[in-house]
Amino acid sequence: MGEVEISVIVPTRNALPFLERCLRSIEQQTFRSFEVIVVNDGSDDGSAAWLDERLAQKPAYRVVHHELSQGLSAARNHGIALARGRFLAFLDADDWFEPTMLETLHRAALSTQSQVAHIVREICTNEGPFVQPREEVVRVLDGVGAAVEMLEQEEYAVWSRLYDARLVKSLGPEPFPVGLTCEDRVFNMRVLPLASRAAESNRVEYHYFMNMGSISLGGLSQRAMQILEADELMVGYARAAGDERLVKLALDRQAKGAFSMLVKYARFGITDDALRGQAGQDALRMLRQRFVSDYPRLAASPLPASKRLVAWQLRYMPALVRAEFAIYNVVTGKGRG
């Protein structure tokens, strides 16, 4: 296979019911200079054999297998290391591209001489109709400005963006933080400020599948608490970028961390056996201390009125928050752990 413009990296783990739709959306792309690297991260649902058979006669596709799951970050890092394209794109196995996804991103990047391009994503539960803007509008920001908008709009995902491969690979062998959740926001906080230009298109090109049957109750867990570490890393990268706006927004984001964990606990309790007993009490004590310390910044940051009210109650009347969620859980049939 000759030179390619875009390497599409598809990490997958136990996503067999969705893989056909995902891969078909790549095959239908109007832009044709691409390769696809599928990283099977220790699947045990039969998808490994399905992928090998499905893609055996397709030279633009490569499948690599992790015998044991190493996590999403490791899967993406493996794909990046193998990528030969000028640009990198990402697609999660249960989502799908519009046929013009790669064309739109590539055109936006080249026409504006940008190292990053970004489109709009649709959150959906099926493949029904959606609204596409009548005319495409492409804005150009510098990399720091793109990072600022990411934080302001809370659009952290990598799959709605196209990246200059050289820029990503300049981050070293682990562009994504291995073993850490919220990896997209950490990755983008590293890479976006390094870009000289970033293009923003208003076209809807990515479909993020909200699988209602797999949504968990989302209680307090060790994995969920990794957001605190991710936010700390983001603050560090924001400071390294040397922009006051970015630092303020990263600190605002960090101030939401303990708050969001305590809301999880108030609504769903502890859903991780590793946090039962004393370990959970220690975690809650730490979260409450952080929340009290962060509350002045949280209260001063932009928050929807509903969240602002919950934060105030959690600060001054925490028992009321737990009671309100207990009633809500009874009404909706959601239980606490």
Side-chain angles (χ1 to χ4, degrees):
M1 186 177 177
E3 294 184 0
V4 294
E5 275 290 291
I6 300 175
S7 296
V8 182
I9 297 168
V10 184
T12 179
R13 174 168 169 77
N14 293 340
L16 184 57
F18 310 108
L19 283 171
E20 178 61 39
R21 179 178 64 190
C22 170
L23 294 175
R24 185 174 65 249
S25 78
I26 302 175
E27 292 165 354
Q28 293 174 345
Q29 290 299 296
T30 56
F31 184 88
R32 301 307 301 171
S33 180
F34 64 80
E35 66 172 356
V36 180
I37 303 168
V38 182
V39 183
N40 168 39
D41 188 41
S43 296
D44 56 12
D45 65 344
S47 55
W50 185 92
L51 284 165
D52 285 341
E53 180 178 357
R54 172 72 163 72
L55 301 178
Q57 304 303 317
K58 296 182 179 294
Y61 293 72
R62 283 183 285 172
V63 182
V64 294
H65 299 286
H66 292 171
E67 184 175 348
L68 299 175
S69 176
Q70 299 176 32
L72 178 59
S73 289
R76 285 175 172 164
N77 289 341
H78 194 167
I80 291 168
L82 296 174
R84 296 179 293 114
R86 177 182 176 186
F87 294 98
L88 302 175
F90 298 91
L91 173 59
D92 284 357
D94 51 353
D95 301 338
W96 65 96
F97 287 162
E98 272 296 290
T100 51
M101 167 80 169
L102 298 183
E103 179 184 352
T104 297
L105 285 169
H106 188 261
R107 180 178 63 246
L110 262 61
S111 66
T112 62
Q113 297 182 313
S114 294
Q115 294 169 293
V116 179
H118 186 207
I119 47 79
V120 177
R121 55 95 179 106
E122 179 214 20
I123 299 176
C124 55
T125 57
N126 54 53
E127 296 182 62
F130 65 98
V131 178
Q132 187 73 269
R134 292 182 178 180
E135 295 184 6
E136 183 180 17
V137 176
V138 178
R139 298 183 300 119
V140 182
L141 308 168
D142 61 19
V144 169
V148 165
E149 282 206 356
M150 175 190 72
L151 286 167
E152 289 177 335
Q153 300 173 7
E154 298 188 345
E155 290 286 351
Y156 303 120
V158 299
W159 31 252
S160 57
R161 293 177 167 92
L162 185 75
Y163 302 88
D164 185 301
R166 291 173 299 179
L167 189 67
V168 172
K169 292 183 179 184
S170 73
L171 301 178
E174 293 188 354
F176 287 89
V178 175
L180 185 67
T181 191
C182 305
E183 59 283 320
D184 284 23
R185 65 182 63 185
V186 176
F187 170 85
N188 274 318
M189 187 58 83
R190 292 184 71 189
V191 72
L192 289 180
L194 300 179
S196 57
R197 296 163 70 88
E200 301 275 343
S201 170
N202 66 333
R203 282 188 59 83
V204 180
E205 298 284 4
Y206 191 97
H207 300 280
Y208 174 79
F209 180 59
M210 184 69 73
N211 184 359
M212 302 305 291
S214 66
I215 295 176
S216 69
L217 295 183
L220 189 63
S221 67
Q222 286 186 328
R223 177 173 173 79
M225 288 179 61
Q226 289 178 2
I227 192 174
L228 303 177
E229 183 180 350
D231 286 343
E232 186 174 346
L233 287 172
M234 289 179 68
V235 170
Y237 292 129
R239 285 180 169 143
D243 184 272
E244 292 183 3
R245 297 170 302 162
L246 200 56
V247 173
K248 178 188 180 300
L249 287 167
L251 288 170
D252 287 348
R253 170 54 260 178
Q254 186 180 42
K256 297 177 184 177
F259 167 60
S260 65
M261 293 301 100
L262 289 174
V263 170
K264 281 179 175 287
Y265 171 72
R267 183 174 180 186
F268 298 121
I270 292 174
T271 54
D272 184 346
D273 288 341
L275 291 181
R276 304 293 181 184
Q278 188 60 47
Q281 295 305 308
D282 291 343
L284 286 170
R285 187 178 304 109
M286 180 273 292
L287 289 172
R288 288 171 181 140
Q289 290 173 347
R290 286 193 62 154
F291 171 69
V292 170
S293 175
D294 291 339
Y295 182 74
R297 175 174 285 276
L298 181 68
S301 67
L303 277 180
S306 58
K307 288 187 178 180
R308 188 174 300 280
L309 175 60
V310 173
W312 183 89
Q313 290 178 327
L314 197 59
R315 174 65 180 90
Y316 297 106
M317 306 173 68
L320 179 60
V321 178
R322 292 194 292 273
E324 289 172 342
F325 276 127
I327 295 170
Y328 178 81
N329 290 338
V330 170
V331 172
T332 61
K334 304 288 188 180
R336 288 190 61 190

